[in-house]
Amino acid sequence: MNQALLLAQLPGLRRYARALTGDLWAADDLVQDTLERACAKWTLWRVGSDLRAWLFTLMHNLYLNQRRSAPAASARVDLADVEDDLPGETTPADVGLDLDRCLQRLPHDQRAVLLLVALEDMSYQQVATVLSVPVGTVMSRLSRARSRLRELMDGAEAAMAAPRPVPLRRLK
Amino acid sequence: MNTQHTREGLTEHELHALVDGLVSRAEADELQGRLRSDPDLAATVQAWRSQREALRGLHGELLREPVPAPLRAAGDRVAARHGRDQQWWRWGGVAASVALAFSAGWLVHARWPAAGPQFAAAAPARSFAHQATVAHAVYMPEVRHPVEVTAAQQDHLVQWLSKRLGRPLRVPQLSAQGYELVGGRLLPGDDGARAQFMFQNAAGDRVTLYVGAIRNGAASSRETAFRFTEDGPVPGFYWVDRGFGFALSGKLPRAALLALATAAYEQL
């Protein structure tokens, strides 16, 4: 395993982790844990096999473990629920923020599939291998993810396009 | 196997493959044709395409900015653990320990210093990489003469180019990524002849692997880290190994290029 080759994988891993977890801090933690796991399990990687796929598989398994052991941590205030109350003009940055927020509202297994396909250009078979599910499952999660994300984004855009006076509401 | 059919008889798989560009041009035209009589489904495909583009732009800055030092260090440990880190030690004691000191101690700034043992190797390698992308742009659009010797005569191709380049060459297998060899050609180069191998996938996308001798400035730095270049007509990844440069170029997103370059690197 060449050092330069491994380091070249890191930016892609960071970006995927960021999109998956919704948070740069959590993302870099996840990548760090993945690399530590890769260190401990280095004998499992066969020379000449797909290093990138192996790292993504490790990272995904860690992500699932983390979710299982700390479900409370992923419950955050959903800004989309209160954003109607927040004034402001739409900027291009907002669209990116919306996409990120809407992504976070997808179930994580749908989000993972969508990101591996769209962000990482993995084939459906590669995604199936990384996630340890049949290809059929990849396709149905992909359909649900794309449909749901489209609904969420259309909803978000509609909310942005209709500016209303800010009612005074108390946030609980 | 789930082959849920939509109104037009497009399977779920075909629908997504169309959106993700995983079908050949001919297949795409055929599928698109079937969509014409179902405007709702066509609108869905269009919406999903835009969504895909939007997703690909997400968090792009993380691809361009330097990796934070703790992550870099963790990455170094993985590679070192595997024990095939020969080039690290080949730099020689002083250079290696300077680089180690930078990676361990650079906690405040996440920026990797530009000066360092690799710096002297950068300019000829960068020029090589640029020439690779130019050569890609020249031959990629050719329909009738994309290569000089086709894959049908692969053994002859490899023998011929190995002889001219003065080093045994291997053609990597990129079929796992969906790419097949089209063929290769001989090209001029600063430090001797160069070879260009062209690969193509089902959708007709082409990438080229450009190989040739590089005479670096500093004798000690004969290896270059895996680098990404966006300067030329198309992006690419390149590296130097034992006095030979390799560049994988194509008009593809970074992640796809990285997958191909990684596969090529591991086999060469």
Side-chain angles (χ1 to χ4, degrees):
Chain A
M1 185 192 301
N2 177 267
Q3 182 212 19
L5 192 62
L6 186 106
L7 292 180
Q9 312 296 328
L10 298 188
L13 284 169
R14 287 184 80 206
R15 182 176 72 146
Y16 174 74
R18 169 63 183 83
L20 186 63
T21 61
D23 180 297
L24 186 57
W25 196 268
D28 280 352
D29 261 2
L30 182 58
V31 176
Q32 181 95 24
D33 288 344
T34 300
L35 293 172
E36 277 163 26
R37 176 66 70 95
C39 227
K41 303 269 179 194
W42 65 273
T43 52
L44 291 181
W45 179 74
R46 288 178 348 265
V47 173
S49 67
D50 193 337
L51 178 62
R52 182 180 74 135
W54 184 62
L55 290 172
F56 272 88
T57 307
L58 285 182
M59 185 154 85
H60 195 82
N61 292 340
L62 272 169
Y63 176 68
L64 289 180
N65 289 344
Q66 282 175 7
R67 287 191 69 98
R68 253 178 249 134
S69 52
S74 58
R76 295 173 294 197
V77 171
D78 197 330
L79 280 178
D81 291 336
V82 299
E83 76 185 347
D84 289 348
D85 303 333
L86 304 172
E89 291 170 6
T90 314
T91 66
D94 291 346
V95 178
L97 278 178
D98 265 336
L99 183 57
D100 191 27
R101 271 191 232 139
C102 289
L103 261 178
Q104 290 311 305
R105 294 175 75 185
L106 289 178
H108 67 89
D109 56 357
Q110 291 177 20
R111 182 164 66 251
V113 167
L114 182 56
L115 292 175
L116 287 175
V117 169
L119 233 58
E120 282 299 315
D121 277 325
M122 286 195 186
S123 71
Y124 307 141
Q125 183 53 61
Q126 281 176 315
V127 176
T129 305
V130 167
L131 301 180
S132 300
V133 296
V135 172
T137 305
V138 171
M139 304 318 298
S140 53
R141 285 186 192 171
L142 189 53
S143 295
R144 285 200 286 270
R146 285 182 151 149
S147 303
R148 183 77 185 118
L149 185 61
R150 184 185 178 193
E151 276 169 20
L152 289 167
M153 287 297 288
D154 286 346
E157 277 169 32
M160 286 259 190
R164 359 210 256 236
V166 179
L168 289 175
R169 290 238 307 252
R170 189 168 299 139
L171 299 176
K172 291 193 185 107
Chain B
M1 188 169 82
N2 178 15
T3 48
Q4 179 194 314
H5 281 255
T6 59
R7 270 162 293 167
E8 258 310 288
L10 256 79
T11 63
E12 193 175 36
H13 197 286
E14 283 172 333
L15 204 58
H16 291 294
L18 184 58
V19 172
D20 294 317
L22 293 171
V23 288
S24 69
R25 210 135 289 170
E27 283 173 317
D29 288 340
E30 199 259 320
L31 292 170
Q32 206 65 59
R34 278 197 258 159
L35 280 179
R36 234 170 269 135
S37 41
D38 189 341
D40 281 345
L41 198 55
T44 299
V45 168
Q46 203 36 55
W48 286 359
R49 278 207 184 105
S50 310
Q51 184 193 87
R52 183 186 150 88
E53 281 317 299
L55 283 169
R56 293 165 85 67
L58 260 191
H59 313 306
E61 71 282 357
L62 290 179
L63 290 183
R64 292 182 286 271
E65 71 184 41
V67 176
L71 285 183
R72 236 200 116 99
D76 289 344
R77 282 195 294 275
V78 179
R81 196 78 203 271
H82 199 268
R84 287 232 295 163
D85 223 28
Q86 294 145 358
Q87 79 206 45
W88 187 254
W89 305 113
R90 254 192 242 154
W91 284 358
V94 175
S97 56
V98 162
L100 261 174
F102 274 129
S103 72
W106 205 264
L107 290 172
V108 178
H109 303 285
R111 208 156 273 287
W112 186 251
Q118 290 178 358
F119 189 64
R126 260 208 304 275
S127 146
F128 177 91
H130 184 85
Q131 286 161 4
T133 62
V134 169
H136 175 92
V138 167
Y139 293 108
M140 185 280 292
E142 287 291 331
V143 174
R144 292 172 80 200
H145 313 289
V147 297
E148 234 179 292
V149 175
T150 65
Q153 298 165 291
Q154 187 169 339
D155 289 339
H156 166 68
L157 171 68
V158 174
Q159 246 183 35
W160 164 52
L161 293 176
S162 299
K163 186 151 168 244
R164 289 304 308 270
L165 268 66
R167 173 155 143 161
L169 298 177
R170 287 202 355 232
V171 179
Q173 260 277 49
L174 300 179
S175 43
Q177 289 76 23
Y179 282 81
E180 300 298 332
L181 179 70
V182 179
R185 64 169 67 243
L186 188 64
L187 291 172
D190 300 335
D191 300 310
R194 293 184 184 165
Q196 184 195 61
F197 297 101
M198 186 180 291
F199 300 82
Q200 185 171 302
N201 70 2
D205 301 322
R206 285 174 169 175
V207 296
T208 53
L209 177 66
Y210 185 79
V211 185
I214 285 194
R215 240 171 286 297
N216 286 322
S220 59
S221 44
R222 296 175 76 220
E223 269 88 25
T224 301
F226 224 61
R227 284 237 169 84
F228 184 62
T229 174
E230 278 179 298
D231 296 330
V234 294
F237 276 94
Y238 65 99
W239 67 96
V240 179
D241 181 34
R242 285 168 289 150
F244 254 61
F246 299 82
L248 193 297
S249 317
K251 201 174 169 102
L252 298 181
R254 193 186 189 278
L257 273 179
L258 179 59
L260 286 163
T262 306
Y265 178 92
E266 285 169 345
Q267 294 175 52
L268 291 175

